């Protein structure tokens, strides 16, 4: 059996584990006297019960957070697995035309089409999973000469793009928002911001000093790829970042660092700077200047650009609330910062999922609509990238367009 066929997000799996855990707990008093002189068996029984409790707790947390859909994704050895993928395409989506037939069928039902592929960045040479939502209009003749706006949706650590389609049910929300005309037809790019292994490899979407160029992959590489392969709009106001938790920090950090390419960011339960904990690598190697360059509060104060930011947090999220207020305090024109608080909510996926319809409505009010090819592109602003040593992260931003700083 392939590890990717063992689902960790299945209620059936959860039910089986709960039953096994209860049996392990019941076995301790039931067999305690029978194994009175057998220390090994008593120890084994207790150990089994403890392990079962830990596994049950972990599975429950995984189902709430939607981190790992399969055992293979947890161990970093499994194939990509998502239940809601309509088509698998070849590397970099070279044969993306294979989705046209199913896309046309979905379009007649008012549904978008979801495709998965591996995308290798030209600058960074990083290869990661990328899932793409193509709106129904992508397959309608009346829209064939239009360039669609884009949402780049960053999954929360330690998840990959499968959590966006399976956990968040984002394609269904997109279909509904587009049908209600609160959101224009959009292409949604859902990348893996972490790569493998995931455990202990929280990249926070930054270009690590002498490490992996995650920022460059998620911005310069994926944007260039989408413009070439997906035929989307190049207008910076047509590009939005969005995400929950670590994905929310990524969204705000990347949009304020690269406003020459992106116009909006939505953060739910995000924070103002990369969180350093047991799961985070040594991202900056002691470089305070690089740390500061990835601090949203500092960027909006020292390098204000014409971007729109929406920050959302739950009433019970004290840390995230404080982080949002730090950003708000640093905001300088022409940055536009909006925020709202969700009553009686904490740091969990349900808080985020409850906000998706409103998030899409907000994006719809701020992004530019589909436009004809050749429309003049706005490239106002842009933060100069922090200097990487020549031996630093591969690619960097040396060969990309720079903003005015």
């Amino acid at each position: 059996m392939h590890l990717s066929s063992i689902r960790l997000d299945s209620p059936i799996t959860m039910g089986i584990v709960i039953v096994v855990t209860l049996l392990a707990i019941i076995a301790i008093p039931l067999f305690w006297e029978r194994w009175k002189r057998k220390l090994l068996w008593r120890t084994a029984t207790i150990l089994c019960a403890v392990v079962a409790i830990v596994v049950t707790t972990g599975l429950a947390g995984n189902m709430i957070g939607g981190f790992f859909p399969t055992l293979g994704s947890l161990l970093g050895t499994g194939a990509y697995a998502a239940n809601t993928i309509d088509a698998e395409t070849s590397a970099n989506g070279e044969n993306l035309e294979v989705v046209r037939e199913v896309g046309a069928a979905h379009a007649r039902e008012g549904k978008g089409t979801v495709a998965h592929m591996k995308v290798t960045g030209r600058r960074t040479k990083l290869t990661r999973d990328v899932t793409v939502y193509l709106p129904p209009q992508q397959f309608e003749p009346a829209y064939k000469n239009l360039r669609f706006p884009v949402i780049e949706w960053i999954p929360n650590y330690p998840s990959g793009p499968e959590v966006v389609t399976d956990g968040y049910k984002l394609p269904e929300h997109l279909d509904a928002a587009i049908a209600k005309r609160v959101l224009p037809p959009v292409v949604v790019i859902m990348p893996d911001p972490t790569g493998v292994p995931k455990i202990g490899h929280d990249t926070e979407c930054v270009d690590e000093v002498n490490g992996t160029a995650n920022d460059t992959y998620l911005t310069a590489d994926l944007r260039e790829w989408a413009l070439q392969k997906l035929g989307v709009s190049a207008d910076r106001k047509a590009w939005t970042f969005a995400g929950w938790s670590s994905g929310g920090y990524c969204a705000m950090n990347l949009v304020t660092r690269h406003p020459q390419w992106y116009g909006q960011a939505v953060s739910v339960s995000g924070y103002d700077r990369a969180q350093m904990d047991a799961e985070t690598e040594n991202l900056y190697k002691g470089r305070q200047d690089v740390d500061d360059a990835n601090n949203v509060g500092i960027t909006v104060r020292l390098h204000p650009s014409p971007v729109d930011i929406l920050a959302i947090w739950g009433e019970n999220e004290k840390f995230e609330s404080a982080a949002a207020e730090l950003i708000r305090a640093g905001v300088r024109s022409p940055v536009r910062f909006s925020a709202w608080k969700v009553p009686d909510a904490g740091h969990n996926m349900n808080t985020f999922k409850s906000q998706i319809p409103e998030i899409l409505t907000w994006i719809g009010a701020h992004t530019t609509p589909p436009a004809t090819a050749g429309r003049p592109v706005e490239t106002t602003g842009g933060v100069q990238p922090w200097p990487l040593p020549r031996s630093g992260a591969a690619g960097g931003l040396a060969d990309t367009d720079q903003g005015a700083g």
Side-chain angles (χ1 to χ4, degrees), residues 32 55 95 138-139 150 160 163 166 184 299 320 390:
W32 192 256
V55 171
N95 65 336
Q138 183 93 12
F139 306 95
V150 180
V163 76
D166 289 11
T299 303
E320 291 78 6
R390 288 299 178 185

Side-chain angles (χ1 to χ4, degrees), residues 18-366:
I18 290 175
V19 170
V20 171
T21 301
L22 291 174
L23 292 176
I25 294 172
I26 293 171
I28 295 175
L30 188 63
F31 293 101
W32 192 256
E33 290 301 322
R34 184 177 302 181
W35 291 336
K36 187 174 183 179
R37 298 181 180 179
K38 297 180 179 179
L39 181 60
L40 177 62
W41 285 107
R42 281 188 171 185
T43 303
T45 305
I46 295 173
L47 183 60
C48 287
V50 170
V51 170
I53 292 171
V54 171
V55 171
T56 301
T57 304
L59 275 180
N62 184 66
M63 291 190 71
I64 293 173
F67 303 122
F68 302 104
T70 70
L71 183 58
S73 63
L74 171 64
L75 300 178
T77 58
Y80 180 83
N83 290 330
T84 49
I85 299 300
D86 297 312
E88 285 280 348
T89 71
S90 59
N92 299 315
E94 292 300 332
N95 65 336
L96 197 57
E97 283 297 312
V98 300
V99 306
R100 183 154 299 278
E101 185 175 343
V102 66
H106 282 179
R108 289 191 288 271
E109 301 173 7
K111 295 170 53 180
T113 299
V114 181
H116 168 259
M117 64 214 68
K118 297 277 189 179
V119 175
T120 300
R122 180 178 69 83
R123 295 164 179 80
T124 63
K125 303 300 185 282
L126 292 175
T127 300
R128 289 181 178 169
D129 290 299
V130 174
T131 297
V132 176
Y133 168 90
L134 302 172
Q137 292 77 9
Q138 183 93 12
F139 306 95
E140 296 180 5
Y143 290 82
K144 67 178 181 179
N145 294 322
L146 294 183
R147 304 296 191 192
F148 294 104
V150 180
I151 304 174
E152 193 167 337
W153 212 288
I154 308 296
N156 56 289
Y157 176 81
S159 303
E162 67 278 356
V163 76
V164 184
T165 56
D166 289 11
Y168 306 166
K169 306 296 183 186
L170 185 62
E172 298 173 17
H173 288 286
L174 291 165
D175 291 343
I178 293 171
K180 293 177 183 176
R181 299 183 181 275
V182 298
L183 179 73
V186 294
V187 170
V188 183
I189 301 171
M190 299 159 262
D192 181 354
T194 307
V196 293
K198 293 191 180 300
I199 300 300
H201 187 57
D202 182 3
T203 68
E204 296 287 308
C205 304
V206 304
D207 278 354
E208 305 167 36
V209 174
N210 300 322
T212 309
N214 304 287
D215 176 333
T216 303
Y217 177 80
L218 294 169
T219 57
D221 277 348
L222 284 186
R223 186 176 187 277
E224 178 185 75
W225 169 79
L227 290 172
Q228 293 176 354
K229 180 53 60 178
L230 305 179
V232 294
S233 173
D235 188 335
R236 58 175 290 274
K237 287 294 293 178
W239 283 75
T240 303
F241 268 115
W244 169 58
S245 190
S246 60
Y249 161 69
C250 292
M252 292 189 292
N253 188 43
L254 296 178
V255 81
T256 53
R257 282 185 50 76
H258 305 288
Q260 72 272 37
W261 294 331
Y262 303 90
Q264 301 79 228
V266 180
S267 164
V268 182
S269 304
Y271 33 86
D272 57 326
R273 57 182 296 185
Q275 298 305 296
M276 303 301 178
D277 53 33
E279 291 297 317
T280 311
E281 295 185 345
N282 185 4
L283 302 174
Y284 305 131
K285 306 295 191 298
R287 291 277 300 274
Q288 187 61 46
D289 59 328
V290 183
D291 192 338
D292 290 346
N294 288 280
N295 184 313
V296 180
I298 292 176
T299 303
V300 295
R301 177 168 54 87
L302 298 183
H303 304 284
S305 295
V307 297
D308 288 279
I309 301 174
L310 171 62
I312 305 170
W313 64 87
E315 186 176 41
N316 299 320
E317 294 183 286
K318 304 304 181 185
F319 173 75
E320 291 78 6
S321 172
E325 292 305 326
L326 284 173
I327 296 172
R328 189 202 301 271
V331 165
R332 300 289 184 271
S333 180
V335 177
R336 293 170 292 272
F337 184 86
S338 304
W340 71 62
K341 178 170 59 178
V342 183
D344 303 318
H347 195 87
N348 58 70
M349 189 187 287
N350 289 332
T351 299
F352 172 56
K353 289 166 67 175
S354 70
Q355 301 305 303
I356 292 178
E358 286 77 12
I359 290 170
L360 296 180
T361 299
W362 185 91
I363 293 174
H366 289 79

